[in-house]
């Protein structure tokens, strides 16, 4: 779900991430946010998404302005032709549109329905629609879900976190039109030694295969690993095998270990809610793991398996860091190890020639975030220019 501001537009990182998702056929959708801002322009935000993301980026709802002509007080559903009125707060009051609203939705509704029908498996649907037949809502929503699952259609939902406009409709789109884990191919797994293994299915009773997709450090509970379960069921107090291979050049040495999983949680913002198990297709969090890093594979102790390491671009921006005081050196080393464990795009280099500690990052924004996290961990540090070792070779004898 890509969030694009109706005020500030889109940054380069958002466009780059869209291409990364396209490379692996990941279904995508867009939420246009900040509708409450005086400079918000929903139409321009949608047009920008269409220019950057390509065709088939179409809104499911249109913002409805209040009597002042500026504030967004509701949404117009293009599929059901219903108004979601938020003047009384959440949940929205669903009602028939006013007569003056109907002309505004004719053209965008036609464009949306044609885009959905174009992805339908029913080849007669387009002819029936062009002949004037009213296509049922359940048929449109079913075809919408199939088009989104294929990664060929990208719905747009207007939302505003400040006023609550669109938040419940966004959740409806997530549950009704987004594909389930059963509709996406699972990653290829092998034995830890590289031996072949049969393809996985998203089955809670299958062999346990999960992946650590993110690692963070909480000041109270320590290391928190966000885990996506592809196959099997992860349970509390279960002994599992954790392994990571193929990222040694990034500062992540190959490692294999058996660990007992303590409690299992489902994350809700910064809070963790304990759950009884995590089944295939679900996401959970485990805490206090001693070896789990981002990109690691979690599998059954009896059948250790390995998911291929992520393919990531090479970090190109070096940042030389130094602790302000000698007392900060130990804290800097600890916090750097946590950063590296959580972000496989980073590379830490201790240059033996220049005697500098160099953190290689993806770009300036990435470097700023990493430095802020180090300082938030209580480390006093400075940056300095990166020194380059100069080497010269004598090509011939001379007097």
């Amino acid at each position: 779900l890509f969030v694009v501001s109706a005020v500030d537009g889109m940054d380069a990182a958002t466009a780059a991430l869209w291409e990364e998702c396209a490379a692996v056929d990941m279904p995508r959708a867009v939420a246009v946010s900040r509708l409450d801002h005086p400079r918000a322009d929903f139409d321009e935000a949608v047009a920008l998404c269409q220019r950057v993301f390509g065709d088939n980026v179409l809104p499911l709802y249109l913002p409805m302005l209040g009597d002042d002509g500026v504030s967004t007080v509701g949404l117009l559903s293009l599929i059901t032709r219903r108004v979601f009125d938020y003047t009384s707060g959440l949940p929205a009051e669903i009602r028939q549109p006013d007569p003056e609203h109907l002309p505004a939705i004719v053209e965008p509704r036609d464009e949306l329905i044609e885009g959905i029908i174009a992805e339908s498996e029913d080849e007669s649907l387009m002819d029936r629609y062009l002949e004037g037949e009213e296509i049922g809502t359940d048929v449109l929503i079913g075809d919408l879900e199939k088009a989104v699952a294929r990664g060929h259609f990208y719905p747009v939902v207007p939302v505003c976190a400040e006023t609550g406009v669109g938040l419940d409709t966004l959740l409806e789109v997530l549950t009704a039109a987004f594909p389930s884990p059963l509709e996406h191919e699972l990653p290829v797994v092998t034995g830890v030694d590289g031996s072949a293994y049969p393809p996985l299915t998203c089955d809670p009773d299958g062999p346990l295969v999960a992946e650590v997709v993110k690692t963070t450090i909480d000041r109270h509970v320590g290391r928190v690993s966000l885990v996506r379960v592809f196959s099997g069921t992860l349970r509390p107090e279960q002994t599992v095998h954790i392994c990571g291979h193929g990222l040694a050049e990034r500062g992540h040495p190959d490692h294999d270990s058996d660990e007992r999983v303590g409690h299992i949680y489902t994350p809700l913002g910064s809070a963790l809610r304990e759950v009884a198990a995590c089944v295939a297709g679900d996401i959970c969090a485990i805490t206090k793991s001693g070896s789990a890093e981002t990109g690691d594979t979690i599998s059954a102790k009896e059948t250790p398996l390995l998911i291929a390491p992520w393919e990531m671009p090479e970090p190109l921006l070096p940042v030389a860091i130094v602790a302000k005081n000698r007392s900060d050196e130990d804290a800097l080393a600890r916090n750097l190890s946590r950063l590296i464990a959580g972000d496989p795009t980073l590379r830490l280099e201790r240059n033996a020639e220049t005697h500098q500690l160099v953190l290689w990052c993806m770009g300036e924004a990435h470097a700023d975030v990493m430095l802020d996290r180090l300082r938030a961990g209580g480390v006093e540090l400075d940056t300095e220019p990166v020194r380059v070792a100069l080497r010269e070779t004598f090509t011939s004898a001379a007097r």
Side-chain angles (χ1 to χ4, degrees), residues 143-197:
D143 286 335
L144 171 65
E145 193 274 339
K146 293 175 184 175
V148 172
R150 295 192 192 104
H152 298 164
F153 187 86
Y154 318 108
V156 180
V157 180
V159 295
C160 177
E162 190 71 25
T163 62
V165 170
L167 297 186
D168 51 350
T169 57
L170 176 60
L171 292 175
E172 282 293 329
V173 172
L174 291 177
T175 56
F178 273 30
S180 80
L182 300 173
E183 299 174 75
H184 200 270
E185 292 184 3
L186 299 188
V188 177
V189 297
T190 63
V192 176
D193 57 356
S195 57
Y197 192 83

Side-chain angles (χ1 to χ4, degrees), residues 6-20:
V7 180
D8 303 319
M10 186 189 311
D11 58 11
T14 301
L17 284 171
W18 183 276
E19 295 302 322
E20 291 290 333

Side-chain angles (χ1 to χ4, degrees), residues 35 61-66 71-77 82-88 92-93 95 101 158-159 163-166 168-169:
L35 298 178
Y61 302 86
L62 297 180
M64 185 179 72
L65 301 181
S71 60
T72 301
V73 298
L75 299 179
L76 287 163
S77 172
R82 295 291 185 271
V83 168
F84 291 75
D85 194 335
Y86 294 87
T87 53
S88 301
E93 176 192 352
R95 59 177 176 83
H101 294 146
V159 295
T163 62
V165 170
D168 51 350
T169 57

